[in-house]
Amino acid sequence: MLKITKEKINNKWYEFTLNSHSMSVSFLNFGGIITKILAPDKYGNKENIVLCYQDYAHYETNPLYLGAIIGRVAGRIKNATIQIQNTEYELDQNESCHHLHGGKKGFHNVLWDFNTFQGEDGIGVTLTYTSPDGESGYPGNVNVKVTYLLTINNEFLIEYEATTDKETVLTLTNHSYFNLSGDLKKLVLDHEVTIDSSRILKLDKDLIPFDIVEDVSETEFDFRRGRLLQEGFVSNNEQNQLVGCGYDHYFLFDQQAANKVIVADNESGRIMKIKTNQPGMVMYTANTMQEGIMLNNLKSKKYLGVCFETQASPASLWLNDLPSITLLTNETYKKQTIFSFDVIEKKK
């Protein structure tokens, strides 16, 4: 049975819950923040598989960007400057001298308008926001629509759409931290991840991409046949160590597989598959997660979750041969990411 519920939070936001017969997805109209995804394990136990703050007041500042819509540009823009048609724009500097995740007034901390809908095969909420010309330094009035849809087949779709009245840059993603063990019972060390990618972006000491690694074969970045995340945590690879012993890298999809990412936790039996028309994603394994913030059941710490930030890379602004993030006035930005949930071993 498909059902949508709505609850007032802290007298200023709404939390929506999309319910299907076997799972549910909850999120706020503030930042489009996903607070819960309840999915069954192989024994049928429903547990939360994303990180959330125990005290919802933490979403006001959201230092971990938990579950949020990220924009206008997801990722880091070096020196917080962009150039469009020979005009240079200075953006918010919110990570040293660089610009991160849309700046101080990013999409993660704005209040979105909403509209609910329901059909035979799915239910959802459409979130809308108009980002004014000059917000965080970006040019153009940008109208953004993000739709969250849960289907009867346990697919959770995030659809992005945007237009601008002035040439600008845009690349959106969602910043949920997944932990398929359920209710944070363990770290993500034993999560087995498969990624349709043979190329990554190489990072400098400020975590700014500066080069394309054309072949990740025989390295801890080759996930094409599946790999445990902990292999990168203990790796001597300079790129793994640079980001705090783990991953915070952009993977370019090879477009060889329908499922761009497959994540499995053998103990719980949960498996998550990701399909998308985005050209790649950042995988971040919480290597530098701020510690001591109270989450679902315990305090935040390293390796407690893993993000799969499907998007185009802002590095296209200074690196050739990457898909562009420029949005023209006669274009409509349209992207989709689909998360599907199942279990490896059905309950007997």
Side-chain angles (χ1 to χ4, degrees):
M1 175 178 163
L2 298 171
K3 181 181 178 183
I4 303 177
T5 61
K6 183 176 72 172
E7 181 183 355
K8 198 70 176 285
I9 301 293
N10 294 345
N11 291 317
K12 50 185 161 183
W13 311 326
Y14 285 106
E15 183 176 49
F16 297 90
T17 299
L18 310 178
N19 295 281
S20 72
H21 65 284
S22 61
M23 64 173 292
S24 66
V25 179
S26 300
F27 53 90
L28 305 173
N29 66 321
F30 178 75
I33 293 165
I34 295 170
T35 56
K36 303 180 194 71
I37 297 180
L38 302 184
D41 66 6
K42 61 187 176 184
Y43 302 110
N45 302 312
K46 290 185 185 179
E47 296 168 312
N48 193 6
I49 59 169
V50 295
L51 276 61
C52 69
Y53 297 116
Q54 182 169 294
D55 182 354
Y56 275 37
H58 274 113
Y59 287 117
E60 290 271 15
T61 54
N62 201 357
L64 306 178
Y65 295 96
L66 289 191
I69 298 169
I70 304 296
R72 293 186 188 189
V73 171
R76 295 174 175 87
I77 297 178
K78 69 175 181 179
N79 300 322
T81 58
I82 58 175
Q83 188 163 318
I84 299 175
Q85 294 185 344
N86 298 319
T87 299
E88 187 170 271
Y89 295 89
E90 294 185 2
L91 309 179
D92 284 348
Q93 295 182 3
N94 62 326
E95 190 181 64
S96 183
C97 65
H98 307 298
H99 177 85
L100 176 66
H101 289 338
K104 300 167 188 173
K105 189 69 182 292
F107 292 170
H108 63 286
N109 61 8
V110 300
L111 195 64
W112 294 67
D113 292 327
F114 58 85
N115 181 54
T116 62
F117 61 90
Q118 184 162 350
E120 290 184 4
D121 299 327
I123 50 175
V125 176
T126 297
L127 303 169
T128 55
Y129 174 68
T130 297
S131 178
D133 184 25
E135 185 169 64
S136 294
Y138 292 100
N141 295 292
V142 176
N143 294 312
V144 187
K145 180 167 68 173
V146 179
T147 300
Y148 290 158
L149 170 67
L150 181 64
T151 75
I152 57 176
N153 297 318
N154 290 342
E155 291 182 327
F156 175 51
L157 287 72
I158 305 180
E159 297 177 336
Y160 306 91
E161 188 172 319
T163 58
T164 181
D165 63 1
K166 187 187 296 184
E167 185 175 332
T168 191
V169 291
L170 187 83
T171 180
L172 308 180
T173 195
N174 177 270
H175 207 287
S176 290
Y177 292 74
F178 291 91
N179 186 322
L180 300 188
S181 70
D183 291 341
L184 306 186
K185 285 195 291 295
K186 62 178 185 177
L187 303 178
V188 296
L189 281 68
D190 293 326
H191 278 39
E192 184 177 0
V193 176
T194 305
I195 305 175
D196 174 34
S197 173
S198 59
R199 298 185 297 159
I200 66 163
L201 298 187
K202 195 173 185 179
L203 303 178
D204 67 16
K205 62 181 178 59
D206 288 339
L207 308 188
I208 303 295
F210 72 93
D211 195 12
I212 302 174
V213 177
E214 293 290 350
D215 185 4
V216 296
S217 298
E218 299 183 8
T219 75
E220 288 79 7
F221 289 87
D222 189 353
F223 285 85
R224 286 170 292 181
R225 295 185 179 179
R227 181 182 294 274
L228 297 179
L229 289 178
Q230 63 181 319
E231 294 178 39
F233 301 165
V234 299
S235 166
N236 290 323
N237 187 304
E238 180 186 11
Q239 283 291 301
N240 289 120
Q241 294 193 344
L242 182 70
V243 299
C245 299
Y247 299 94
D248 194 2
H249 295 78
Y250 186 82
F251 291 75
L252 284 149
F253 295 138
D254 289 343
Q255 310 301 339
Q256 298 297 312
N259 292 306
K260 305 307 179 192
V261 185
I262 301 174
V263 190
D265 176 61
N266 285 306
E267 188 171 330
S268 70
R270 291 186 179 92
I271 185 167
M272 179 175 74
K273 299 177 181 178
I274 301 175
K275 296 179 181 179
T276 185
N277 61 357
Q278 294 278 19
M281 71 162 188
V282 172
M283 182 170 73
Y284 171 55
T285 49
N287 333 297
T288 56
M289 173 177 279
Q290 180 181 340
E291 299 195 353
I293 301 173
M294 201 64 195
L295 302 180
N296 318 39
N297 295 314
L298 73 168
K299 291 182 179 179
S300 59
K301 56 184 174 181
K302 195 171 184 173
Y303 306 141
L304 197 55
V306 52
C307 300
F308 303 100
E309 304 164 47
T310 55
Q311 61 174 100
S313 175
S316 64
L317 296 172
W318 58 88
L319 287 179
N320 296 325
D321 302 322
L322 291 177
S324 174
I325 64 167
T326 298
L327 181 63
L328 303 176
T329 56
N330 61 348
E331 291 181 329
T332 299
Y333 176 92
K334 278 191 174 183
K335 298 295 179 182
Q336 181 190 74
T337 297
I338 304 172
F339 302 87
S340 61
F341 302 91
D342 204 344
V343 289
I344 301 170
E345 178 183 340
K346 296 289 186 182
K347 180 182 177 182
K348 296 180 180 180

